[in-house]
């Protein structure tokens, strides 16, 4: 999906307030903002024909807002990123060459 930095999300709160927040990142499953991470299944999309961008709308209550913030922090966690990196370099396995080394020594010192 093409990422447009002009996209916005409107968050409707339980206390009859709303806020418009810029979208930082959009994946196949969620939208990330500076306020939190919102899953796409609870978000509706609307096209802003005046500005040419997408507006996402989401209704959240207080527990959902807290969970969105925690999901964002978890996603950005350095420890979680390090656990998911499988940067294994190919190292020389000396045990693989050990039988050949023994054979060469037996030939030389026979």
């Amino acid at each position: 999906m093409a990422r447009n930095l002009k996209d916005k999300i409107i968050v409707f709160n339980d206390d009859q307030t709303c806020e418009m927040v810029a979208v930082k990142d959009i994946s196949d499953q969620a939208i990330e903002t500076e306020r939190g991470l919102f899953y796409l299944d609870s978000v509706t999309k609307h096209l802003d024909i005046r500005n040419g961008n997408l507006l996402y709308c989401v209704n959240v209550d207080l527990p959902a807002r807290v969970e969105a913030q925690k999901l964002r922090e978890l996603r950005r966690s350095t420890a979680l990123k390090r656990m998911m990196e499988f940067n294994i370099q190919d190292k020389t396995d000396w045990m693989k060459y050990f039988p050949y080394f023994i054979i060469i020594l037996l030939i030389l010192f026979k």
Side-chain angles (χ1 to χ4, degrees), residues 3 39 47 49 73 75 79 82 86 88 95 97 107:
R3 293 186 176 112
Y39 287 110
L47 180 62
I49 57 174
E73 291 170 3
R75 184 175 181 193
R82 298 289 181 214
F86 298 106
I88 299 172
M95 293 305 290
Y97 299 112
I107 291 173

Side-chain angles (χ1 to χ4, degrees), residues 10-13 42 57-61 64:
I10 301 173
V11 180
F12 294 99
N13 300 317
S42 64
C57 297
V58 63
N59 292 323
V60 296
D61 53 355

